[in-house]
Amino acid sequence: MEILSATHQIITSIVILAFKEILEQPLFRAIGKVADDCGQPVFVIGGYVRDILLQRPTTDIDIMTVGNGIELAEKVAVSLGIRSKVSVFRNFGTAMLRYKDLDIEFVGARKESYQRNSRKPVVEDGTLEDDQKRRDFTINALAISLNEANFGELIDPFNGISDLNKGIIRTPLDPDVTFSDDPLRMMRAIRFATQLGFTITDETLLSIAQNKERISIVSPERIADEINKIMLSHKPSKGFILLEETGLLKLVFPELQKMKGVDSFNGIAHKDNFYHTLKVLDQLALKSDNLWLRWAAVLHDIAKPNTKKFVEGAGWTFYAHNYVGAKMIPGIFRRMKLPMNEKMKYVQKLVELHMRPIALVEEEVTDSAIRRLLFDAGEDTDDLMTLCEADITSKNQDKVRRHLENFQLVRQKLKEIDEKDAIRNFQPPVSGEEIMEVFQIAPGREVGLIKNAIKDAILDGIIGNNHEEAFQLMLEKAREIGLTPAS
Ligand code: CTP
């Protein structure tokens, strides 16, 4: 333990040295010089300092000054020769600059108190210390001076460096005060713990559990933002487990909470779908950074609690949970203020289709089944396969290996058949317009019948995916339903 902390200290010293180099950039010197001319203390503070020390890439810089932040931003822009406009948010007392690829936000030091039912603070000017103690976590309250007199000095009144070294999330003040000021911070604590692999102190965690109901005053957009960040972490399950343990999950994502627990009948129990889902999500996270694919993993079994039924002889069944689940998604996305566009449709499609590849490998992998999968999943076929591979969570390693091998076979066949028949982006080789023209008919049932017959014949391998064979079949089908070509 001792050795570990000594090593950490050495690493921190090296990193702080590296930070000194970063600070020597003209940008920080320029900010310090302008602030000196105005007689204002100025600091780089918050997430930027934390991320540099953790060596995480970051382009958002927060500059805090004791005095007017907006005026300072305007003067810094002139001194750096920035021609684009400074964005000023007078209500918040902040101003934003874009410099090279950096977003720099200026703010005056504040003392804030929040009204009980709103996240809108009543803002008063404050000192550096006032500002630091009203921040969310010790690791986010680190400040580095930019004034010439003490350029590069670290001001760390709450031992944030030590918490960074130990990997601890802790509030600077009594957590009840910090969370009551801004309840979103409860989600942020869990998100940082997940993103950084840190531990939330017991006191802070207990306070989240006690203040959880206050999350109701936070907008769904900001909650979704935190959930998305948890979802995009290296091991997202950690965040969802913390949300569950603190009681936040049932408030922000009740459908997922409902998945927890097992029912047992006549000594037969089903698996806990909450933990299964989290395992699928973690397995998927190792293979893909696609946020919406990760959402599909979280939601793939979301209808299991609603479709659960014990059937004599068959055990626990979740009949049609994939279809019911896909239908639940618009409601969940709408409430969480997630996008209602093609991203949601993509998640719906994957949830609806998630049983197909496994059914394929358990039965015989026929060409026709492969073509139908390619037709239905289209360009998302590979993502569907990735989801389904992550969905294998059996404890029986033999079974896992067998299933994964079979999936490899399916992937191979998908590739072969796709190359041969081009089903993935299926375009009917005979269009509706052509059918109407050949038979001189208006749009209607017959056109649909013929188009479907052609599609089915191609997917079943009866004819090839080409115009010539499709045209012949069109003539045959038309004859069967009493249509003759107009000559
Ligand atoms: N902050 C806070 N309470 C909040 C949000 C932010 O105290 N609810 C403070 C923290 O000091 C934080 C800084 O404002 O470091 C900047 O906030 P933000 O840019 O939202 O977060 P970062 O910490 O930079 O991290 P991320 O960009 O990952 O959200």
Side-chain angles (χ1 to χ4, degrees):
M1 198 59 199
E2 294 271 291
I3 295 172
L4 199 66
S5 100
T7 320
H8 268 313
Q9 261 156 26
I10 295 166
I11 292 171
T12 310
S13 315
I14 296 168
V15 176
I16 288 180
L17 274 180
F19 204 167
K20 285 239 157 85
E21 239 167 74
I22 290 172
L23 285 181
E24 283 306 337
Q25 291 177 70
L27 167 71
F28 291 114
R29 283 286 180 189
I31 294 173
K33 168 100 185 41
V34 175
D36 280 340
D37 291 347
C38 304
Q40 287 179 205
V42 71
F43 308 87
V44 54
I45 192 162
Y48 185 77
V49 180
R50 175 201 69 221
D51 286 343
I52 294 289
L53 292 174
L54 290 173
Q55 295 181 292
R56 294 173 86 220
T58 172
T59 53
D60 288 344
I61 303 180
D62 286 317
I63 300 293
M64 190 265 285
T65 183
V66 183
N68 190 317
I70 298 175
E71 277 171 29
L72 183 68
E74 280 161 348
K75 288 180 184 155
V76 167
V78 173
S79 123
L80 290 172
I82 298 174
R83 265 186 243 120
S84 56
K85 232 173 106 41
V86 177
S87 320
V88 174
F89 307 93
R90 283 204 194 275
N91 292 349
F92 296 94
T94 62
M96 285 273 285
L97 287 186
R98 211 173 149 73
Y99 177 69
K100 299 186 177 161
D101 60 341
L102 302 169
D103 286 316
I104 314 168
E105 185 167 331
F106 288 76
V107 65
R110 288 181 291 194
K111 190 164 33 187
E112 277 179 21
S113 62
Y114 287 72
Q115 290 155 335
R116 219 162 149 79
N117 295 314
S118 159
R119 288 192 65 239
K120 294 212 179 62
V122 182
V123 183
E124 275 174 63
D125 291 345
T127 61
L128 165 67
E129 201 197 329
D130 288 333
D131 191 283
Q132 281 179 297
K133 72 179 184 215
R134 69 159 192 89
R135 289 183 180 261
D136 52 3
F137 306 112
T138 58
I139 60 166
N140 287 347
L142 298 163
I144 292 184
S145 170
L146 299 179
N147 295 97
E148 186 158 13
N150 58 345
F151 190 84
E153 184 190 324
L154 177 76
I155 299 111
D156 177 18
F158 307 107
N159 294 319
I161 289 284
S162 154
D163 288 348
L164 265 187
N165 278 331
K166 292 191 214 138
I168 283 179
I169 307 284
R170 186 167 63 87
T171 54
L173 302 177
D174 173 345
D176 287 348
V177 173
T178 302
F179 292 141
S180 164
D181 276 354
D182 179 1
L184 178 72
R185 291 168 169 172
M186 299 187 287
M187 300 284 303
R188 281 172 63 89
I190 292 175
R191 185 259 289 188
F192 282 122
T194 314
Q195 268 183 337
L196 306 176
F198 278 24
T199 306
I200 304 176
T201 61
D202 288 345
E203 192 198 5
T204 307
L205 210 52
L206 187 67
S207 171
I208 297 178
Q210 281 164 354
N211 288 288
K212 61 179 183 292
E213 304 289 341
R214 293 265 295 149
I215 200 70
S216 62
I217 66 162
V218 178
S219 76
E221 287 87 347
R222 308 207 63 189
I223 294 175
D225 212 31
E226 296 303 325
I227 294 180
N228 283 341
K229 286 179 178 164
I230 290 173
M231 204 93 116
L232 284 171
S233 301
H234 177 66
K235 193 169 183 233
S237 62
K238 176 169 176 166
F240 286 105
I241 289 170
L242 285 169
L243 286 174
E244 204 282 323
E245 284 172 358
T246 52
L248 277 170
L249 189 69
K250 68 170 175 295
L251 302 172
V252 300
F253 199 167
E255 296 84 355
L256 190 57
Q257 176 73 54
K258 249 181 109 180
M259 307 248 275
K260 185 163 181 257
V262 284
D263 277 338
S264 160
F265 189 80
N266 285 348
I268 304 175
H270 62 75
K271 65 181 163 197
D272 184 308
N273 289 307
F274 176 67
Y275 293 108
H276 163 71
T277 293
L278 295 187
K279 186 152 189 212
V280 176
L281 178 61
D282 281 351
Q283 294 194 156
L284 184 91
L286 296 175
K287 295 172 187 220
S288 169
D289 291 334
N290 176 346
L291 175 64
W292 305 105
L293 185 53
R294 293 187 184 195
W295 266 103
V298 168
L299 293 169
H300 77 287
D301 279 346
I302 202 72
K304 278 200 167 172
N306 294 347
T307 54
K308 176 160 61 181
K309 204 167 156 193
F310 189 85
V311 176
E312 212 57 63
W316 288 101
T317 64
F318 305 91
Y319 180 67
H321 75 273
N322 52 325
Y323 295 108
V324 180
K327 288 217 174 74
M328 287 167 69
I329 290 168
I332 295 173
F333 268 46
R334 192 171 301 115
R335 192 192 66 232
M336 290 194 175
K337 297 278 190 282
L338 290 166
M340 298 297 291
N341 56 15
E342 73 287 348
K343 294 183 176 118
M344 181 200 73
K345 295 213 177 86
Y346 163 88
V347 177
Q348 270 193 302
K349 177 171 161 187
L350 292 174
V351 170
E352 184 175 322
L353 293 175
H354 85 266
M355 313 282 287
R356 288 276 289 280
I358 193 82
L360 253 183
V361 301
E362 276 170 356
E363 292 153 23
E364 202 194 338
V365 192
T366 64
D367 286 6
S368 149
I370 292 276
R371 281 194 210 93
R372 287 195 177 270
L373 184 61
L374 276 168
F375 178 76
D376 291 331
E379 59 186 16
D380 303 319
T381 305
D382 291 333
D383 288 354
L384 179 66
M385 291 303 295
T386 306
L387 171 64
C388 293
E389 281 161 1
D391 197 9
I392 304 169
T393 63
S394 166
K395 286 206 182 76
N396 178 341
Q397 284 311 309
D398 244 14
K399 194 167 158 189
V400 172
R401 196 181 35 80
R402 222 170 340 106
H403 271 146
L404 287 176
E405 277 169 15
N406 285 345
F407 272 128
Q408 267 319 105
L409 193 72
V410 174
R411 278 195 189 259
Q412 182 60 30
K413 281 216 136 194
L414 281 163
K415 193 164 169 272
E416 279 166 25
I417 291 192
D418 196 33
E419 275 164 11
K420 185 158 68 77
D421 299 341
I423 304 289
R424 197 182 287 245
N425 294 309
F426 184 80
Q427 296 294 335
V430 172
S431 69
E433 287 76 35
E434 189 172 359
I435 299 170
M436 291 189 280
E437 203 184 307
V438 172
F439 300 103
Q440 287 296 301
I441 53 172
R445 209 176 60 89
E446 286 100 344
V447 182
L449 259 171
I450 295 173
K451 276 186 76 176
N452 258 335
I454 294 173
K455 182 198 83 188
D456 284 339
I458 293 172
L459 295 182
D460 289 338
I462 296 165
I463 63 167
N465 186 6
N466 60 62
H467 184 263
E468 198 185 321
E469 287 177 70
F471 196 86
Q472 279 311 316
L473 187 78
M474 172 194 77
L475 293 176
E476 262 172 53
K477 281 287 150 195
R479 211 175 310 119
E480 280 172 24
I481 57 174
L483 290 176
T484 40
S487 50

